[in-house]
Amino acid sequence: MDFKGLDILNGYQFTNQQLNHIMNTAAEYEKRVKRGEVIHDLDGCVVASLFFEPSTRTRLSFEAAINRTGARCISMADAKASSQAKGETLEDTISTVDGYVDVIVMRHPEKGAAVRAADIAVHPVINGGDGAGQHPTQALLDIYTMRKEKGHIGGQTITFLGDLKYGRTVHSLGYFMQQLGNRMIFASPDELKMPEEITADLRARGADIVETGDVREALAQSDFVYVTRVQRERFPDQESYERVKGSYIVDNELLKCAKKDITILHPLPRVDEIATEVDSYPGAAYFRQAHNGMYLRMALLGLVTGRV
Ligand code: NCD
């Protein structure tokens, strides 16, 4: 299967075979790292890590993945310290960086920015999140985690709980759930519902989706709950944020209603939507999920450079 040169932009660009191949490649890297192998697959490659928006896990797990595959990294973690601050366009920045590296990893506050970058760059662009648009590498590590936690993926029910309007990770993950044959329950405050265009598109592709405000009922039927943070930075004003913040909290009390063996996922960072008392719950997988991100991103780098 040839991924060489491929841009990773959204949650609807892969076939099921490609999704499986990405997960299997990540599993291989996980084994190799865990047995202490020093990996040279990407020796000689240089990767740009461009983050025009705050990040902890996506940036650091990509940079760890770059280092662990043998590549080298140039990074821009503070847009204010770059020529963006002088008014340079994204297009001009990308044209420049494209001449320095073999792969560009980028996060940007504007929806559609990754596609714009990919249109210009000769080298593969990996979308590390574009505004309230897509976040495919997160959704890939989410399915890798789901498969690891349950031993298989498909034929299950997942509840997406929280900010489904601005939360880009669920915008990508919804497509993978449809493709892999998982039923979805969307549970959110009314103001934060999944955008209609995405729900309609998922349904047109054959997705089984239920929308509800009844979280208890949703959790009682679910093998997974995927919790998201209210995306404060994307609200038009503070008052609209204040109206919905804290409107759902997963705690031990709520989990009494959940299906036994439910797996709890969250892309992190959390604010208050999962109580820390839940961290010791056996199904609380969110920190394992964050660790899996490194292996998954090693796989993506290996694949788009054609080195694995
Ligand atoms: C998410 C993001 O940036 O979209 N974080 C991540 O990449 N792990 C989720 C969030 O910020 O709430």
Side-chain angles (χ1 to χ4, degrees):
M1 207 167 292
D2 195 9
F3 284 79
K4 190 171 176 188
L6 190 73
D7 300 309
I8 311 282
L9 298 176
N10 58 53
Y12 41 85
Q13 70 178 91
F14 302 105
T15 63
N16 280 19
Q17 285 88 332
Q18 284 177 317
L19 291 180
N20 275 320
H21 188 63
I22 294 169
M23 288 192 275
N24 292 341
T25 308
E28 248 346 277
Y29 273 122
E30 179 165 359
K31 267 193 238 146
R32 291 170 70 185
V33 169
K34 286 188 169 162
R35 66 172 179 247
E37 186 180 331
V38 178
I39 297 167
H40 294 286
D41 293 354
L42 267 74
D43 273 3
C45 289
V46 180
V47 180
S49 158
L50 306 182
F51 280 74
F52 298 97
E53 208 183 47
S55 172
T56 297
R57 276 150 289 270
T58 305
R59 183 169 73 83
L60 294 178
S61 66
F62 257 117
E63 293 184 5
I66 292 165
N67 283 292
R68 284 193 184 272
T69 48
R72 293 189 181 184
C73 181
I74 59 168
S75 76
M76 202 214 52
D78 177 9
K80 287 193 229 52
S82 79
S83 285
Q84 293 273 311
K86 301 181 189 168
E88 187 171 54
T89 62
L90 174 66
E91 280 70 10
D92 286 0
T93 304
I94 295 297
S95 298
T96 305
V97 174
D98 191 36
Y100 300 154
V101 299
D102 304 290
V103 181
I104 297 173
V105 176
M106 185 183 86
R107 167 171 289 186
H108 197 279
E110 286 163 36
K111 185 175 169 184
V115 173
R116 280 164 54 203
D119 281 346
I120 285 177
V122 171
H123 295 105
V125 170
I126 303 182
N127 180 8
D130 61 318
Q134 294 275 318
H135 195 349
T137 71
Q138 175 69 43
L140 288 166
L141 78 88
D142 296 336
I143 59 171
Y144 181 59
T145 303
M146 292 168 78
R147 192 175 82 162
K148 267 179 76 181
E149 292 288 321
K150 296 287 196 210
H152 75 285
I153 188 162
Q156 294 142 323
T157 298
I158 182 167
T159 291
F160 289 166
L161 174 62
D163 183 349
L164 312 185
K165 179 177 181 184
Y166 298 116
R168 56 195 171 195
T169 69
V170 289
H171 298 169
S172 297
L173 186 58
Y175 287 95
F176 295 157
M177 293 296 90
Q178 184 274 319
Q179 267 184 264
L180 297 168
N182 273 0
R183 184 173 163 253
M184 289 175 263
I185 305 178
F186 295 166
S188 66
D190 247 7
E191 297 90 322
L192 299 178
K193 278 171 74 167
M194 185 71 91
E196 181 49 34
E197 48 164 349
I198 296 184
T199 309
D201 189 23
L202 289 171
R203 286 205 167 112
R205 291 166 191 255
D208 181 353
I209 298 170
V210 175
E211 291 186 270
T212 181
D214 188 343
V215 180
R216 286 166 199 274
E217 174 62 22
L219 296 192
Q221 306 169 35
S222 294
D223 304 286
F224 301 98
V225 57
Y226 190 98
V227 189
T228 64
R229 170 180 72 88
V230 178
Q231 308 279 299
R232 177 185 205 148
E233 66 277 27
R234 312 226 185 274
F235 279 68
D237 53 67
Q238 182 69 16
E239 296 90 84
S240 15
Y241 170 72
E242 295 291 333
R243 267 202 302 279
V244 287
K245 77 162 195 217
S247 48
Y248 53 91
I249 289 175
V250 176
D251 56 14
N252 285 344
E253 180 57 31
L254 180 69
L255 286 173
K256 285 186 191 149
C257 307
K259 189 167 170 180
K260 194 168 125 311
D261 297 339
I262 192 167
T263 298
I264 305 163
L265 300 162
H266 191 308
L268 301 177
R270 75 171 144 192
V271 181
D272 57 4
E273 58 282 352
I274 301 183
T276 51
E277 65 184 15
V278 175
D279 297 358
S280 52
Y281 193 81
Y286 29 93
F287 289 108
R288 296 193 286 278
Q289 184 183 358
H291 293 160
N292 289 334
M294 184 179 76
Y295 307 119
L296 195 283
R297 289 170 171 134
M298 291 175 78
L300 292 178
L301 292 168
L303 289 167
V304 302
T305 53
R307 297 290 184 98
V308 289

